[in-house]
Amino acid sequence: MIVEFFIGLWDTIATAVLGLMPKDPAPDFLVNADGVLNTLLQSIQGMGAWVDIPFAITVVTAVLGAWLVGATVKIVRWLIGLIPTMGGGS
């Protein structure tokens, strides 16, 4: 009974938010994005002779992973700082 209430509440909120969205058709660049993406991927495909793609993917993954670890540490430090007895700031 309580669960049904919260499901109904969520449904009402979702319906209200979706009712605020415009009913216009999608822009042309979104509708035809597959053609642009295919053209881009075909252009990149020929670069395999000059760029070592697996190595580039490894480097990008390592950089993004290091950034993610740093951001996670920063967020954890911020959350610990919110605890009154442990945080910094006076």
Side-chain angles (χ1 to χ4, degrees):
M1 189 165 173
I2 294 174
V3 174
E4 290 176 3
F5 168 75
F6 284 114
I7 290 174
L9 183 65
W10 174 252
D11 182 48
T12 304
I13 292 171
T15 304
V17 170
L18 289 175
L20 297 173
M21 302 296 170
K23 307 256 186 305
D24 298 333
D28 190 44
F29 70 90
L30 284 178
V31 174
N32 298 326
D34 58 344
V36 174
L37 186 60
N38 281 336
T39 304
L40 178 67
L41 290 177
Q42 287 174 354
S43 299
I44 292 175
Q45 181 181 8
M47 293 193 58
W50 293 285
V51 178
D52 186 13
I53 300 295
F55 179 70
I57 291 173
T58 303
V59 169
V60 168
T61 303
V63 169
L64 290 177
W67 178 81
L68 183 63
V69 167
T72 303
V73 168
K74 189 173 185 176
I75 289 170
V76 168
R77 288 184 64 211
W78 176 74
L79 288 173
I80 290 175
L82 293 176
I83 300 172
T85 58
M86 298 185 66
S90 43

